[in-house]
Amino acid sequence: MTYPRDLLSFANTYRKKWLEVALGVFLGGVGILLMMNTVSFSNGIIFDTRSILISVTGLFLGYLPTIMATLMISLYRIYLGGGGALTGVLVTVTSALIGLCWYRYRLKKIRQKPKKVWPELYLFGVIVHLAMLACMLTLPNQQGFDVLQVITLPVLIIYPLGTLLLCLVMLQALKNREAEKNLRESRESYKHLYYEYQKKESLLRSLLDSLPDLVFYKDNAGVYLGCNKAFEGFAGKTKDELVGLTDFDLFDEKMATLFRDMDQLMMKEKKSRRNEEFVTYPDGQEVILETLKTPYYDHNAQILGLIGVSRDITERKKTEAEMLFLSQHDALTGLHNRGYYEKERQRLDHHDYLPLSLIIGDINGLKLINDAFGHGAGDKLLISIARILASCAREKDVLVRTGGDEFVMLLPQTSYRETGALVEKIKKACKAGYELDNERIITSISLGFATKTREQEPFEKVFRLAEESMYRKKLLDYKSFHSTVLNSIKTTLFEKSNETEEHAERMASMAKQLGQVLGLDQEELVALELATTLHDIGKISIDSKLLQKNGQLTDDEWLEVRKHPEVGYRIAQTVPELRKISEYILCHHERWDGTGYPQGLKTDEIPLLARILAIVDAYDAMTRDRPYRKAMTKKDAIDELKRNAGTQFDPVLVGVFIKDVIEENMIE
């Protein structure tokens, strides 16, 4: 593809070539005129000054004009005829060739010489005309020698001088032309630079005005010389109003003095300075500005003034403060974190802070709370205990959350006895619980402590003693706390769902009867009774609105409800006393035909106690009123059990349950 610029370049080149051709034709014409005014010898031998013309043309005008002129003159000489025609053509051609050789190898250096170029130009003329004389030897017979005797002296004296004079004229014309060209280019360049300057100044002004940063410049006396739009807003004045004023004209004396002192210090040091300043905008907004002030100089390296750039870093400073806080604090509780603890431990492990005491705390039952009530409830427990610990700590103490459910307190200059008193204070506060979001949170934390009294005693040893003390205490606290939490879980379950404590007791009674008929031992009967009481413990994680919904459940709601066996299994696994029944809780919704959930077990793959649970739970549910239906009669419930025997329920167990538990009680 040809672009416009390429076309223009081609047109310029094409036009230049035609001009050179025209110039060659013109010079050829001049040569012919010179040949019309000649000195003639006998037999068609003529002499003229065309050798001067052609050689100088070759030297200064180059190939195309010289070739055209040489061709025209040679053709004309042949046309004239005579015995000297061949010699005339040779003189013309050799003069042109010598001129072109000088053009190719010497013209550039001649033009670069400031003076004393005439010796070379005179030599050039001598060589051209020595070649001319040599061409005379090509004349026929003895004419060459006769001609040489006549013209040698005049030619070698006059023709080189003529060549020199014409060369000097051409050289001066060439220099004048170059000077004119340079002047024209200089004018164009100046005009271009002026327009570029105007454009760049406009661009710079637009750029400065588009910046949100405050940009200003002053002289060395502190007088404003200009600014951008942002600074106009800051100062409350336009640029025209601002020029000629000082800081004392724009700001209160305290702020103006601060700015002036910074300016003087920067100019005294003769280097850029960066400062942070609290300033107030005209509208009363208080911000933090970061200002970079840089001196600018004249050509003698004298300071003329300064350029200032101020940036509002208020949000950045807030972000930095927040990042610093987060780097040293726990995001959930707001207490310091482990990184901060490590630095403070090294700082406080010094004889100035002895005795240095240490309290280690570990929350009781956090995993149980998370599994039973969700991680939101676990977070509330963590926050509550953190606030209790913070309320009991003194100003000089370092309180840290070092892990998920672990806390550490460093107590400088605190004796073992004082530390024990603080531990009792914390335990008393935890026993009372904590009010958070209008909810009383059950709080329990096992605490151990130790004290470093000698500088040589390793801190790691003190930490280990405190940790061992905490673990001993945790063993003592474990049963009582889990009993409290389990009671809370059962209470919450009965409050949230359609299940009641009476339902759990009825199920336990029927399950125990069926277990006795089946010949279960005492341990299995206890496990069965406990499993029937807690089999739906996983429903504590389900929204109460969903559990109490009157209408039919959607697919998504049904998926949520089906999760409760697995949740109940995880809760039971966290309590050693319940681990033995966790499998029954997990499997109580499995079906005899393998279409149940969550594992799809079938027939004897389902634990016996879970199969008993499924039958007892279904019968009691059918014979009691629910929000979405009325209770069935015992006869209808028995018929429903029979219809589902072999699909949903163990058929053998259904028969035993109907005969030895339901019908037996009906007879009684």
Side-chain angles (χ1 to χ4, degrees), residues 341-460:
Y341 162 77
E342 293 296 339
K343 290 191 293 184
E344 287 298 290
R345 181 188 67 78
Q346 293 178 15
R347 180 181 68 86
L348 295 176
D349 193 8
H350 190 271
H351 65 83
D352 291 341
Y353 299 102
L354 295 177
L356 175 62
S357 292
L358 174 72
I359 299 176
I360 297 178
D362 189 277
I363 295 177
N364 294 317
L366 179 61
K367 188 176 188 308
L368 176 59
I369 297 296
N370 282 333
D371 289 337
F373 298 102
H375 286 275
D379 289 346
K380 287 183 178 181
L381 175 59
L382 283 165
I383 294 169
S384 299
I385 289 181
R387 292 183 181 178
I388 290 173
L389 292 172
S391 67
C392 295
R394 303 162 303 180
E395 186 176 349
K396 65 180 180 179
D397 298 337
V398 176
L399 174 59
V400 177
R401 181 188 176 194
T402 55
D405 54 1
E406 298 173 358
F407 297 84
V408 171
M409 290 180 71
L410 292 171
L411 290 77
Q413 299 173 336
T414 305
S415 67
Y416 185 84
R417 183 176 180 181
E418 291 173 316
T419 306
L422 181 58
V423 167
E424 290 302 317
K425 181 181 178 181
I426 295 170
K427 288 168 63 177
K428 185 176 179 181
C430 286
K431 190 175 182 181
Y434 190 82
E435 190 78 23
L436 182 65
D437 298 334
N438 298 319
E439 180 183 354
R440 176 62 59 175
I441 307 298
I442 300 173
T443 54
S444 176
I445 184 170
S446 298
L447 300 168
F449 62 97
T451 302
K452 177 178 178 176
T453 56
R454 295 177 294 107
E455 186 176 2
Q456 295 78 14
E457 187 176 10
F459 183 86
E460 289 73 16

Side-chain angles (χ1 to χ4, degrees), residues 440-501:
R440 176 62 59 175
I441 307 298
I442 300 173
T443 54
S444 176
I445 184 170
S446 298
L447 300 168
F449 62 97
T451 302
K452 177 178 178 176
T453 56
R454 295 177 294 107
E455 186 176 2
Q456 295 78 14
E457 187 176 10
F459 183 86
E460 289 73 16
K461 178 182 177 182
V462 178
F463 186 93
R464 189 168 60 254
L465 290 173
E467 195 172 41
E468 290 171 356
S469 171
M470 181 271 293
Y471 282 130
R472 287 195 299 271
K473 186 62 178 173
K474 197 170 187 67
L475 290 174
L476 296 175
D477 292 340
Y478 187 83
K479 284 192 176 182
S480 63
F481 175 73
H482 277 78
S483 177
T484 302
V485 173
L486 283 175
N487 288 332
S488 174
I489 289 173
K490 286 194 288 184
T491 301
T492 304
L493 175 62
F494 295 145
E495 289 174 353
K496 288 181 68 174
S497 70
N498 293 315
E499 313 299 343
T500 63
E501 193 168 357

